[in-house]
Amino acid sequence: MYTADSPILGPQIAAMDQMSRYILSRPHGEYTEKDIADVIIPAYLRVCIPVGVDPVLAVAQMIHETGNLTSFWSQRPQRNPAGIGVTGQWQLHQPTDLRGWAYNTQRWRWEVGVRFATWADDAIPAHVGRLLAYALPEGSETPPQRELIAKALGYRPFPRVFRGSAQTIKQLGRAHNPLAAQGAGWASPGHTYGEAIARLANQILAVPLE
C-alpha cells in the first residue's frame, strides 16, 4: 500500500499488465493499446528497474501529470511525460524563436516546455533520471544511476543543490521539500502531490491480474 511517504526508490510491485490496463481503462488521448502496452509501459520497467526507481510510482506520476496521457504536452510530437520544462510561461503571439515553445491546441496559446523525440529512448529516461536526481544526493549514485541522471539532465538542467532533496513522493511537492525556499520541488505548491501519486499507484495495484 502506497502513501505520500513512500520512497521513490523501491522494487517493482505491480505487474506490467496492471499498469497498461489501468491506463487503457480510461481516456488516454491519441495513444493506442500497442503504444501503451508494447512501448510506454515496457520502457518504464526497462529504465526504472536497473536504477532502483519504483516503476509504479513513476507511471503513477506520469498518469497524474498528463491526465492519463490526454494532456497536450503528452501528445505527439511533445511526448512530455511529466511536465518537464513546462514552466507555466505562455503567450498568445508566436515567439520569434520557436525553440522550447509549442502551440498548445488545447489552450490556444504558445507555451514553454520540452519536447522528446521518442518515448522509450528520450522521454522516459528523462523522466526517470530526473526522479533519480531528486532522490539521490550527488556522489551516492551507482554507475547506471549516474549515467541515467546525466542523460536526463542533458534534456533540461537540474540545480545541483536540489540533489537528494526528495526521497519520498511527498517531497516532490514544493510545499514539503526541505529546499522549498530555494525553489526545489517537482510540483508547486504541491501540497497534496504525494497523496495524488500514491492514490493512483494504489489504484494500479487494485487492477485484477489476469
Side-chain angles (χ1 to χ4, degrees), residues 44 53 118 138:
Y44 266 107
V53 171
T118 69
E138 190 170 14

PDB file of all heavy atoms in Angstrom, residues 44 53 118 138:
ATOM      1  N   TYR A  44       9.122   1.975 -19.293  1.00  0.00           N
ATOM      2  CA  TYR A  44       9.247   2.399 -17.891  1.00  0.00           C
ATOM      3  C   TYR A  44       9.914   1.307 -17.054  1.00  0.00           C
ATOM      4  O   TYR A  44      10.805   1.586 -16.244  1.00  0.00           O
ATOM      5  CB  TYR A  44       7.878   2.763 -17.310  1.00  0.00           C
ATOM      6  CG  TYR A  44       7.575   4.237 -17.412  1.00  0.00           C
ATOM      7  CD1 TYR A  44       6.646   4.715 -18.324  1.00  0.00           C
ATOM      8  CD2 TYR A  44       8.237   5.166 -16.606  1.00  0.00           C
ATOM      9  CE1 TYR A  44       6.371   6.073 -18.428  1.00  0.00           C
ATOM     10  CE2 TYR A  44       7.977   6.529 -16.708  1.00  0.00           C
ATOM     11  CZ  TYR A  44       7.050   6.965 -17.624  1.00  0.00           C
ATOM     12  OH  TYR A  44       6.796   8.322 -17.723  1.00  0.00           O
ATOM     13  N   VAL A  53      14.397   2.692  -9.297  1.00  0.00           N
ATOM     14  CA  VAL A  53      13.200   3.525  -9.159  1.00  0.00           C
ATOM     15  C   VAL A  53      11.972   2.623  -9.222  1.00  0.00           C
ATOM     16  O   VAL A  53      11.881   1.748 -10.082  1.00  0.00           O
ATOM     17  CB  VAL A  53      13.137   4.595 -10.260  1.00  0.00           C
ATOM     18  CG1 VAL A  53      11.776   5.319 -10.249  1.00  0.00           C
ATOM     19  CG2 VAL A  53      14.256   5.608 -10.079  1.00  0.00           C
ATOM     20  N   THR A 118      11.340  10.523 -28.816  1.00  0.00           N
ATOM     21  CA  THR A 118      10.738   9.202 -28.634  1.00  0.00           C
ATOM     22  C   THR A 118      10.346   9.036 -27.174  1.00  0.00           C
ATOM     23  O   THR A 118      10.870   9.725 -26.295  1.00  0.00           O
ATOM     24  CB  THR A 118      11.709   8.060 -28.988  1.00  0.00           C
ATOM     25  OG1 THR A 118      12.761   8.016 -27.998  1.00  0.00           O
ATOM     26  CG2 THR A 118      12.318   8.242 -30.372  1.00  0.00           C
ATOM     27  N   GLU A 138      24.184  13.899  -4.655  1.00  0.00           N
ATOM     28  CA  GLU A 138      25.285  13.773  -5.603  1.00  0.00           C
ATOM     29  C   GLU A 138      26.436  12.999  -4.964  1.00  0.00           C
ATOM     30  O   GLU A 138      26.825  13.260  -3.830  1.00  0.00           O
ATOM     31  CB  GLU A 138      25.761  15.155  -6.049  1.00  0.00           C
ATOM     32  CG  GLU A 138      26.734  15.115  -7.201  1.00  0.00           C
ATOM     33  CD  GLU A 138      26.998  16.493  -7.775  1.00  0.00           C
ATOM     34  OE1 GLU A 138      26.630  17.498  -7.116  1.00  0.00           O
ATOM     35  OE2 GLU A 138      27.576  16.568  -8.867  1.00  0.00           O
TER      36      GLU A 138
END
